[in-house]
mmCIF file of all heavy atoms in Angstrom:
data_model
loop_
_atom_site.group_PDB
_atom_site.id
_atom_site.type_symbol
_atom_site.label_atom_id
_atom_site.label_comp_id
_atom_site.label_asym_id
_atom_site.label_seq_id
_atom_site.Cartn_x
_atom_site.Cartn_y
_atom_site.Cartn_z
ATOM 1 N N VAL A 1 97.951 107.649 92.194
ATOM 2 C CA VAL A 1 96.597 107.117 92.403
ATOM 3 C C VAL A 1 96.480 105.743 91.769
ATOM 4 O O VAL A 1 95.985 104.799 92.402
ATOM 5 C CB VAL A 1 95.534 108.082 91.838
ATOM 6 C CG1 VAL A 1 94.150 107.435 91.848
ATOM 7 C CG2 VAL A 1 95.520 109.389 92.620
ATOM 8 N N ASN A 2 96.965 105.604 90.549
ATOM 9 C CA ASN A 2 96.908 104.303 89.871
ATOM 10 C C ASN A 2 97.709 103.253 90.625
ATOM 11 O O ASN A 2 97.252 102.123 90.815
ATOM 12 C CB ASN A 2 97.409 104.419 88.431
ATOM 13 C CG ASN A 2 96.465 105.198 87.555
ATOM 14 O OD1 ASN A 2 95.274 105.330 87.854
ATOM 15 N ND2 ASN A 2 96.986 105.751 86.480
ATOM 16 N N ARG A 3 98.902 103.644 91.069
ATOM 17 C CA ARG A 3 99.743 102.702 91.810
ATOM 18 C C ARG A 3 99.074 102.299 93.125
ATOM 19 O O ARG A 3 99.110 101.144 93.529
ATOM 20 C CB ARG A 3 101.112 103.319 92.073
ATOM 21 C CG ARG A 3 102.084 102.365 92.685
ATOM 22 C CD ARG A 3 103.458 102.961 92.738
ATOM 23 N NE ARG A 3 104.383 101.984 93.301
ATOM 24 C CZ ARG A 3 105.651 102.185 93.455
ATOM 25 N NH1 ARG A 3 106.186 103.328 93.089
ATOM 26 N NH2 ARG A 3 106.411 101.255 93.976
ATOM 27 N N MET A 4 98.462 103.279 93.808
ATOM 28 C CA MET A 4 97.776 102.989 95.070
ATOM 29 C C MET A 4 96.628 102.001 94.835
ATOM 30 O O MET A 4 96.481 101.031 95.575
ATOM 31 C CB MET A 4 97.218 104.277 95.684
ATOM 32 C CG MET A 4 96.446 104.022 96.973
ATOM 33 S SD MET A 4 95.567 105.486 97.569
ATOM 34 C CE MET A 4 94.390 105.749 96.258
ATOM 35 N N HIS A 5 95.834 102.235 93.795
ATOM 36 C CA HIS A 5 94.707 101.333 93.518
ATOM 37 C C HIS A 5 95.198 99.932 93.152
ATOM 38 O O HIS A 5 94.596 98.937 93.573
ATOM 39 C CB HIS A 5 93.801 101.913 92.432
ATOM 40 C CG HIS A 5 92.913 103.009 92.928
ATOM 41 N ND1 HIS A 5 91.790 102.765 93.682
ATOM 42 C CD2 HIS A 5 92.994 104.345 92.800
ATOM 43 C CE1 HIS A 5 91.209 103.906 93.991
ATOM 44 N NE2 HIS A 5 91.930 104.888 93.472
ATOM 45 N N GLU A 6 96.291 99.860 92.405
ATOM 46 C CA GLU A 6 96.871 98.561 92.078
ATOM 47 C C GLU A 6 97.350 97.862 93.354
ATOM 48 O O GLU A 6 97.146 96.658 93.530
ATOM 49 C CB GLU A 6 98.038 98.716 91.103
ATOM 50 C CG GLU A 6 97.606 99.101 89.699
ATOM 51 C CD GLU A 6 98.797 99.394 88.793
ATOM 52 O OE1 GLU A 6 99.946 99.073 89.156
ATOM 53 O OE2 GLU A 6 98.566 99.966 87.708
ATOM 54 N N TRP A 7 97.996 98.618 94.244
ATOM 55 C CA TRP A 7 98.481 98.055 95.499
ATOM 56 C C TRP A 7 97.321 97.562 96.357
ATOM 57 O O TRP A 7 97.370 96.457 96.905
ATOM 58 C CB TRP A 7 99.313 99.080 96.267
ATOM 59 C CG TRP A 7 99.535 98.650 97.686
ATOM 60 C CD1 TRP A 7 98.977 99.182 98.798
ATOM 61 C CD2 TRP A 7 100.324 97.550 98.136
ATOM 62 N NE1 TRP A 7 99.378 98.485 99.927
ATOM 63 C CE2 TRP A 7 100.218 97.479 99.526
ATOM 64 C CE3 TRP A 7 101.125 96.615 97.479
ATOM 65 C CZ2 TRP A 7 100.872 96.529 100.289
ATOM 66 C CZ3 TRP A 7 101.776 95.656 98.243
ATOM 67 C CH2 TRP A 7 101.648 95.619 99.631
ATOM 68 N N ILE A 8 96.286 98.366 96.492
ATOM 69 C CA ILE A 8 95.124 97.979 97.304
ATOM 70 C C ILE A 8 94.506 96.703 96.750
ATOM 71 O O ILE A 8 94.159 95.787 97.504
ATOM 72 C CB ILE A 8 94.085 99.122 97.382
ATOM 73 C CG1 ILE A 8 94.674 100.335 98.112
ATOM 74 C CG2 ILE A 8 92.795 98.666 98.036
ATOM 75 C CD1 ILE A 8 95.115 100.070 99.535
ATOM 76 N N ALA A 9 94.386 96.614 95.436
ATOM 77 C CA ALA A 9 93.830 95.401 94.821
ATOM 78 C C ALA A 9 94.717 94.191 95.120
ATOM 79 O O ALA A 9 94.211 93.106 95.450
ATOM 80 C CB ALA A 9 93.679 95.596 93.314
ATOM 81 N N ALA A 10 96.029 94.366 95.015
ATOM 82 C CA ALA A 10 96.956 93.254 95.292
ATOM 83 C C ALA A 10 96.907 92.858 96.763
ATOM 84 O O ALA A 10 96.888 91.661 97.093
ATOM 85 C CB ALA A 10 98.379 93.650 94.895
ATOM 86 N N ALA A 11 96.866 93.845 97.662
ATOM 87 C CA ALA A 11 96.815 93.550 99.099
ATOM 88 C C ALA A 11 95.517 92.846 99.460
ATOM 89 O O ALA A 11 95.524 91.884 100.242
ATOM 90 C CB ALA A 11 96.980 94.840 99.909
ATOM 91 N N LYS A 12 94.402 93.300 98.900
ATOM 92 C CA LYS A 12 93.114 92.645 99.170
ATOM 93 C C LYS A 12 93.139 91.202 98.675
ATOM 94 O O LYS A 12 92.667 90.299 99.382
ATOM 95 C CB LYS A 12 91.971 93.428 98.515
ATOM 96 C CG LYS A 12 91.650 94.710 99.245
ATOM 97 C CD LYS A 12 90.581 95.598 98.650
ATOM 98 C CE LYS A 12 89.720 95.114 97.567
ATOM 99 N NZ LYS A 12 88.708 96.068 97.109
ATOM 100 N N ALA A 13 93.697 90.976 97.499
ATOM 101 C CA ALA A 13 93.776 89.614 96.967
ATOM 102 C C ALA A 13 94.648 88.733 97.862
ATOM 103 O O ALA A 13 94.280 87.599 98.177
ATOM 104 C CB ALA A 13 94.332 89.646 95.542
ATOM 105 N N GLU A 14 95.784 89.264 98.298
ATOM 106 C CA GLU A 14 96.699 88.511 99.157
ATOM 107 C C GLU A 14 96.048 88.149 100.487
ATOM 108 O O GLU A 14 96.267 87.069 101.030
ATOM 109 C CB GLU A 14 97.977 89.326 99.401
ATOM 110 C CG GLU A 14 99.017 88.624 100.212
ATOM 111 C CD GLU A 14 99.700 87.474 99.467
ATOM 112 O OE1 GLU A 14 99.658 87.428 98.218
ATOM 113 O OE2 GLU A 14 100.280 86.605 100.147
ATOM 114 N N LEU A 15 95.233 89.077 101.017
ATOM 115 C CA LEU A 15 94.578 88.863 102.308
ATOM 116 C C LEU A 15 93.220 88.178 102.202
ATOM 117 O O LEU A 15 92.590 87.889 103.220
ATOM 118 C CB LEU A 15 94.415 90.221 103.031
ATOM 119 C CG LEU A 15 95.730 90.918 103.384
ATOM 120 C CD1 LEU A 15 95.454 92.329 103.880
ATOM 121 C CD2 LEU A 15 96.510 90.117 104.417
ATOM 122 N N GLY A 16 92.773 87.915 100.981
ATOM 123 C CA GLY A 16 91.483 87.259 100.784
ATOM 124 C C GLY A 16 90.307 88.159 101.142
ATOM 125 O O GLY A 16 89.285 87.682 101.637
ATOM 126 N N ILE A 17 90.447 89.440 100.874
ATOM 127 C CA ILE A 17 89.401 90.414 101.203
ATOM 128 C C ILE A 17 88.669 90.814 99.931
ATOM 129 O O ILE A 17 89.283 91.236 98.949
ATOM 130 C CB ILE A 17 90.012 91.668 101.861
ATOM 131 C CG1 ILE A 17 90.692 91.305 103.178
ATOM 132 C CG2 ILE A 17 88.949 92.737 102.059
ATOM 133 C CD1 ILE A 17 91.497 92.442 103.778
ATOM 134 N N ASP A 18 87.361 90.692 99.966
ATOM 135 C CA ASP A 18 86.523 91.126 98.849
ATOM 136 C C ASP A 18 85.601 92.222 99.386
ATOM 137 O O ASP A 18 84.456 91.956 99.747
ATOM 138 C CB ASP A 18 85.714 89.956 98.275
ATOM 139 C CG ASP A 18 84.876 90.374 97.076
ATOM 140 O OD1 ASP A 18 85.218 91.382 96.438
ATOM 141 O OD2 ASP A 18 83.878 89.685 96.802
ATOM 142 N N LEU A 19 86.135 93.416 99.480
ATOM 143 C CA LEU A 19 85.395 94.521 100.075
ATOM 144 C C LEU A 19 85.823 95.813 99.417
ATOM 145 O O LEU A 19 87.010 96.127 99.349
ATOM 146 C CB LEU A 19 85.691 94.603 101.581
ATOM 147 C CG LEU A 19 85.065 95.759 102.345
ATOM 148 C CD1 LEU A 19 83.557 95.595 102.421
ATOM 149 C CD2 LEU A 19 85.673 95.846 103.737
ATOM 150 N N ASP A 20 84.857 96.533 98.895
ATOM 151 C CA ASP A 20 85.139 97.849 98.339
ATOM 152 C C ASP A 20 84.717 98.890 99.358
ATOM 153 O O ASP A 20 83.588 98.874 99.847
ATOM 154 C CB ASP A 20 84.372 98.060 97.032
ATOM 155 C CG ASP A 20 84.920 97.201 95.909
ATOM 156 O OD1 ASP A 20 86.157 97.056 95.837
ATOM 157 O OD2 ASP A 20 84.123 96.668 95.128
ATOM 158 N N VAL A 21 85.645 99.753 99.719
ATOM 159 C CA VAL A 21 85.377 100.804 100.701
ATOM 160 C C VAL A 21 85.676 102.162 100.080
ATOM 161 O O VAL A 21 86.272 102.265 99.015
ATOM 162 C CB VAL A 21 86.205 100.616 101.995
ATOM 163 C CG1 VAL A 21 85.808 99.349 102.720
ATOM 164 C CG2 VAL A 21 87.686 100.635 101.707
ATOM 165 N N ASP A 22 85.273 103.190 100.787
ATOM 166 C CA ASP A 22 85.492 104.568 100.360
ATOM 167 C C ASP A 22 86.949 104.940 100.624
ATOM 168 O O ASP A 22 87.294 105.401 101.713
ATOM 169 C CB ASP A 22 84.530 105.479 101.121
ATOM 170 C CG ASP A 22 84.694 106.944 100.784
ATOM 171 O OD1 ASP A 22 85.429 107.273 99.826
ATOM 172 O OD2 ASP A 22 84.079 107.768 101.493
ATOM 173 N N ILE A 23 87.791 104.727 99.631
ATOM 174 C CA ILE A 23 89.218 104.998 99.789
ATOM 175 C C ILE A 23 89.456 106.475 100.061
ATOM 176 O O ILE A 23 90.245 106.829 100.939
ATOM 177 C CB ILE A 23 90.009 104.521 98.552
ATOM 178 C CG1 ILE A 23 89.982 102.990 98.481
ATOM 179 C CG2 ILE A 23 91.447 105.041 98.577
ATOM 180 C CD1 ILE A 23 90.588 102.405 97.230
ATOM 181 N N ALA A 24 88.772 107.344 99.352
ATOM 182 C CA ALA A 24 88.943 108.788 99.564
ATOM 183 C C ALA A 24 88.576 109.167 100.997
ATOM 184 O O ALA A 24 89.264 109.971 101.631
ATOM 185 C CB ALA A 24 88.115 109.578 98.561
ATOM 186 N N GLY A 25 87.519 108.572 101.519
ATOM 187 C CA GLY A 25 87.110 108.847 102.892
ATOM 188 C C GLY A 25 88.150 108.394 103.897
ATOM 189 O O GLY A 25 88.440 109.095 104.873
ATOM 190 N N LEU A 26 88.732 107.229 103.666
ATOM 191 C CA LEU A 26 89.782 106.735 104.558
ATOM 192 C C LEU A 26 91.032 107.604 104.480
ATOM 193 O O LEU A 26 91.665 107.901 105.493
ATOM 194 C CB LEU A 26 90.122 105.278 104.239
ATOM 195 C CG LEU A 26 89.054 104.262 104.635
ATOM 196 C CD1 LEU A 26 89.354 102.901 104.021
ATOM 197 C CD2 LEU A 26 88.933 104.154 106.139
ATOM 198 N N LEU A 27 91.378 108.043 103.275
ATOM 199 C CA LEU A 27 92.533 108.927 103.135
ATOM 200 C C LEU A 27 92.282 110.273 103.812
ATOM 201 O O LEU A 27 93.184 110.831 104.443
ATOM 202 C CB LEU A 27 92.872 109.128 101.657
ATOM 203 C CG LEU A 27 93.439 107.909 100.939
ATOM 204 C CD1 LEU A 27 93.577 108.187 99.443
ATOM 205 C CD2 LEU A 27 94.769 107.493 101.535
ATOM 206 N N ASP A 28 91.060 110.775 103.692
ATOM 207 C CA ASP A 28 90.716 112.031 104.380
ATOM 208 C C ASP A 28 90.845 111.867 105.888
ATOM 209 O O ASP A 28 91.360 112.749 106.578
ATOM 210 C CB ASP A 28 89.303 112.489 104.017
ATOM 211 C CG ASP A 28 89.200 113.040 102.610
ATOM 212 O OD1 ASP A 28 90.235 113.374 101.999
ATOM 213 O OD2 ASP A 28 88.054 113.137 102.109
ATOM 214 N N MET A 29 90.373 110.739 106.416
ATOM 215 C CA MET A 29 90.475 110.491 107.856
ATOM 216 C C MET A 29 91.934 110.474 108.281
ATOM 217 O O MET A 29 92.305 111.095 109.274
ATOM 218 C CB MET A 29 89.791 109.168 108.219
ATOM 219 C CG MET A 29 89.919 108.773 109.695
ATOM 220 S SD MET A 29 91.420 107.853 110.115
ATOM 221 C CE MET A 29 91.173 106.329 109.234
ATOM 222 N N THR A 30 92.787 109.778 107.531
ATOM 223 C CA THR A 30 94.187 109.711 107.930
ATOM 224 C C THR A 30 94.845 111.084 107.859
ATOM 225 O O THR A 30 95.716 111.398 108.675
ATOM 226 C CB THR A 30 94.991 108.689 107.102
ATOM 227 O OG1 THR A 30 94.940 109.034 105.724
ATOM 228 C CG2 THR A 30 94.469 107.282 107.310
ATOM 229 N N LYS A 31 94.408 111.915 106.919
ATOM 230 C CA LYS A 31 94.938 113.278 106.831
ATOM 231 C C LYS A 31 94.547 114.087 108.065
ATOM 232 O O LYS A 31 95.382 114.769 108.666
ATOM 233 C CB LYS A 31 94.437 113.969 105.565
ATOM 234 C CG LYS A 31 94.943 115.392 105.398
ATOM 235 C CD LYS A 31 94.498 115.993 104.084
ATOM 236 C CE LYS A 31 93.036 116.348 104.181
ATOM 237 N NZ LYS A 31 92.520 117.053 103.010
ATOM 238 N N VAL A 32 93.279 113.982 108.467
ATOM 239 C CA VAL A 32 92.811 114.705 109.653
ATOM 240 C C VAL A 32 93.570 114.236 110.893
ATOM 241 O O VAL A 32 94.061 115.051 111.679
ATOM 242 C CB VAL A 32 91.286 114.528 109.843
ATOM 243 C CG1 VAL A 32 90.832 115.053 111.195
ATOM 244 C CG2 VAL A 32 90.516 115.229 108.724
ATOM 245 N N VAL A 33 93.695 112.932 111.053
ATOM 246 C CA VAL A 33 94.395 112.399 112.227
ATOM 247 C C VAL A 33 95.865 112.816 112.209
ATOM 248 O O VAL A 33 96.407 113.254 113.229
ATOM 249 C CB VAL A 33 94.249 110.861 112.314
ATOM 250 C CG1 VAL A 33 95.154 110.282 113.383
ATOM 251 C CG2 VAL A 33 92.796 110.480 112.578
ATOM 252 N N ALA A 34 96.505 112.725 111.061
ATOM 253 C CA ALA A 34 97.926 113.092 110.964
ATOM 254 C C ALA A 34 98.148 114.557 111.318
ATOM 255 O O ALA A 34 99.116 114.890 112.001
ATOM 256 C CB ALA A 34 98.449 112.804 109.560
ATOM 257 N N HIS A 35 97.251 115.423 110.874
ATOM 258 C CA HIS A 35 97.432 116.855 111.119
ATOM 259 C C HIS A 35 96.912 117.305 112.476
ATOM 260 O O HIS A 35 97.474 118.212 113.086
ATOM 261 C CB HIS A 35 96.764 117.668 110.007
ATOM 262 C CG HIS A 35 97.483 117.573 108.710
ATOM 263 N ND1 HIS A 35 96.958 116.944 107.612
ATOM 264 C CD2 HIS A 35 98.707 118.002 108.331
ATOM 265 C CE1 HIS A 35 97.817 116.994 106.622
ATOM 266 N NE2 HIS A 35 98.895 117.630 107.026
#
């Protein structure tokens, strides 16, 4: 979880994105779609 949050912060900085989203909600969606 810590590594994921660090990665998301680094990716957002690299892409110039200043947006906080519901990470848990997005992960839940990907789980539903994957299964």
Side-chain angles (χ1 to χ4, degrees):
V1 171
N2 290 338
R3 187 172 182 179
M4 178 189 64
H5 283 284
E6 289 174 13
W7 166 252
I8 296 300
K12 286 177 11 179
E14 183 71 20
L15 297 171
I17 298 171
D18 182 23
L19 176 68
D20 290 321
V21 295
D22 178 10
I23 292 173
L26 289 168
L27 290 173
D28 287 343
M29 176 274 294
T30 59
K31 180 176 75 175
V32 170
V33 171
H35 289 112

